[in-house]
Amino acid sequence: MARNRITKRTIDALLADGRDYVAWDGELTGFGVRVRPSGSKSFVVVYRTGGRNSPQRRVTVGAVGNRC
């Protein structure tokens, strides 16, 4: 799924397989959906501040399906 856009259809197709993994968006660099072994899903962003030699940081934006 690395080349696909993250859409509702692709998120619904993601299944828990007993491990923690991230399905990355193919067009928006650093954006993905994290799937936990329990089946819960959340949007994540990976970024760096300061260039290539700085550490990567992963931030959870929010849970999939939650409404305000």
Side-chain angles (χ1 to χ4, degrees):
M1 271 194 205
R3 297 293 162 223
N4 293 339
R5 300 274 325 235
I6 298 290
T7 62
K8 183 179 181 331
R9 184 173 290 172
T10 58
I11 292 171
D12 291 341
L14 297 173
L15 300 174
D17 63 354
R19 62 183 174 89
D20 198 16
Y21 71 95
V22 178
W24 298 105
D25 189 281
E27 294 185 26
L28 188 58
T29 305
F31 181 74
V33 176
R34 181 179 185 181
V35 181
R36 301 252 181 181
S38 64
S40 65
K41 301 170 190 169
S42 57
F43 295 107
V44 294
V45 176
V46 175
Y47 69 95
R48 292 179 195 247
T49 58
R52 291 188 146 195
N53 295 327
S54 63
Q56 279 189 346
R57 299 184 183 191
R58 183 177 293 184
V59 177
T60 301
V61 178
V64 172
N66 285 353
R67 294 186 180 182
C68 297

